[in-house]
Amino acid sequence: MLAALEHGVKGDVWFSLIDKVWSTANLTAGFARVAANDGAAGVDHQTIAMFEKDLEGNLRRLHEELRAGTYEPKPVRRQWIPKPGTNEKRPLGIPTVRDRVAQAAVRAVLDPIFERDFAEHSYGFRPGRGCKDALRRVDALLKAGYTHVVDADLKSYFDTIPHEALLRQIRTKVADGRVLTLVQAYLRQGIMDGLAYWTPTEGSPQGAVLSPLLSNIYLDPLDHLMAEKGYEMIRYADDFVILCRGEQEAREALEHVQQWTAEHGLTLHRQKTRIVDATRDGFDFLGYRFQQGHRWPRTKSLRKFKDSIRAKTRRANGHSLRFIIEDVNSTTRGWYEYFKHSHRNTFRSLDSWIRMRLRSILRRRQGRRGRGRGADHQRWPNAFFATQRLFSMTAAYRAACQPAQR
């Protein structure tokens, strides 16, 4: 496959792929990827640990079913998870471990075929690319003088991808009927939500291993359309912005997106899709808020972070202070690593707020009521928490800036 990708295949269409899917090496690698991502059990209640107890036997049976053409995916278990910073919930589809392994094997075969021709400005779920690459590109374009932004939002994208149109897109590069049948079977997997059961007619469930690749395949023509017309589009999965040099250009870009999405069975969210003058107003992208040359965590990101810290620093917390601080640090370090490119004023107030939460715990343990403030700053000064190895985002930011200043 690697040699063929380098030199091309006849007509750029792949005819024989199913043997690569069912290969033992591919299925073994597929399980390794599934195990690394962890995840809950599906409708059969089999966990990753349970599957791994008889890994050789499970993979052998999966190999034989795929080879004989008797493999059929089980229904997807639907779970509703909170949307960060809102009271809304979004559906997550959880396939069985066995089906996740098979999907990982299919994805490993399809990924390099489509990856080669994906647009440069697509950053989501692609090897060697990530959120920070997309954010750097947005930042660079703003600094280069792009003043207006098409801030677009696809309404329930993963749940509304048209099956037949997606399969037609896949057939432009894949002609192996067995592989196409597998992809179609995954798209039409039954969904179990509690006691309710139905077969979807559109969409690809978030949580399925194959869904990220399928989502990129379906939006790839839009990526190339925008590039051909000279627009600076930055896309991460279904989240994208288009940076323009003026309002008129932004309006024209939005018109092209509106036309393409309407023709391809997708819907732009009317209330959330807008044109922003970045010299005055702000816009959110991948957790950050961009406004007037600065960036910081958007409101939802801050709210989600604080909710996580609150859960770990309740006043009635029965753990030792050292345990609580280690638990808090595990969240704070990860959050800072992603948002460390924010404006410097972001971190001081958050550090102070976290120390207040910890002082409140200590205050309660001394029989006092209320939040930690006033004289508590003298009882447990900032230096005290430093000796307890509380991670300081302010200190980390200063340390990161010093080499740059030198």
Side-chain angles (χ1 to χ4, degrees), residues 251-271:
R251 292 189 182 281
E252 291 169 0
L254 179 55
E255 286 177 9
H256 287 300
V257 173
Q258 289 170 330
Q259 182 178 346
W260 189 92
T261 52
E263 290 173 354
H264 290 78
L266 302 176
T267 305
L268 285 173
H269 201 298
R270 287 187 178 182
Q271 283 73 38

Side-chain angles (χ1 to χ4, degrees), residues 229-248:
K229 293 189 174 296
Y231 296 120
E232 291 288 355
M233 177 176 174
I234 300 93
R235 182 173 70 82
Y236 191 97
D238 59 334
D239 197 358
F240 65 91
V241 290
I242 305 170
L243 277 76
C244 305
R245 292 194 178 275
E247 184 177 358
Q248 183 58 35

Side-chain angles (χ1 to χ4, degrees), residues 261-330:
T261 52
E263 290 173 354
H264 290 78
L266 302 176
T267 305
L268 285 173
H269 201 298
R270 287 187 178 182
Q271 283 73 38
K272 296 181 180 179
T273 299
R274 62 200 182 110
I275 292 174
V276 178
D277 182 348
T279 63
R280 297 181 311 173
D281 304 314
F283 65 96
D284 296 337
F285 186 58
L286 299 181
Y288 272 89
R289 177 76 173 175
F290 290 85
Q291 189 164 6
Q292 295 180 344
H294 300 294
R295 53 178 168 171
W296 53 84
R298 68 174 184 167
T299 303
K300 287 183 180 179
S301 301
L302 286 169
R303 193 178 301 149
K304 182 182 178 183
F305 172 70
K306 285 192 168 185
D307 286 346
S308 178
I309 296 298
R310 282 191 186 97
K312 296 182 175 190
T313 56
R314 294 190 175 96
R315 292 177 203 174
N317 195 313
H319 295 291
S320 68
L321 181 63
R322 186 168 293 277
F323 178 91
I324 296 169
I325 285 177
E326 287 178 359
D327 197 22
V328 167
N329 284 349
S330 66

Side-chain angles (χ1 to χ4, degrees), residues 13-80:
V13 179
W14 293 75
F15 287 88
S16 182
L17 293 172
I18 191 65
D19 58 315
K20 283 89 174 168
V21 172
W22 74 49
S23 79
T24 303
N26 191 24
L27 292 174
T28 303
F31 172 76
R33 286 190 289 272
V34 169
N37 290 330
D38 204 2
V43 294
D44 61 355
H45 306 294
Q46 186 181 47
T47 64
I48 291 172
M50 293 164 65
F51 189 94
E52 192 171 18
K53 280 184 179 179
D54 185 21
L55 182 60
E56 186 177 341
N58 283 324
L59 292 182
R60 184 178 63 252
R61 284 186 287 275
L62 184 56
H63 163 83
E64 290 168 355
E65 289 178 20
L66 287 166
R67 186 168 187 171
T70 59
Y71 166 80
E72 290 184 7
K74 296 183 183 295
V76 171
R77 180 170 69 86
R78 173 159 283 189
Q79 182 175 334
W80 294 87

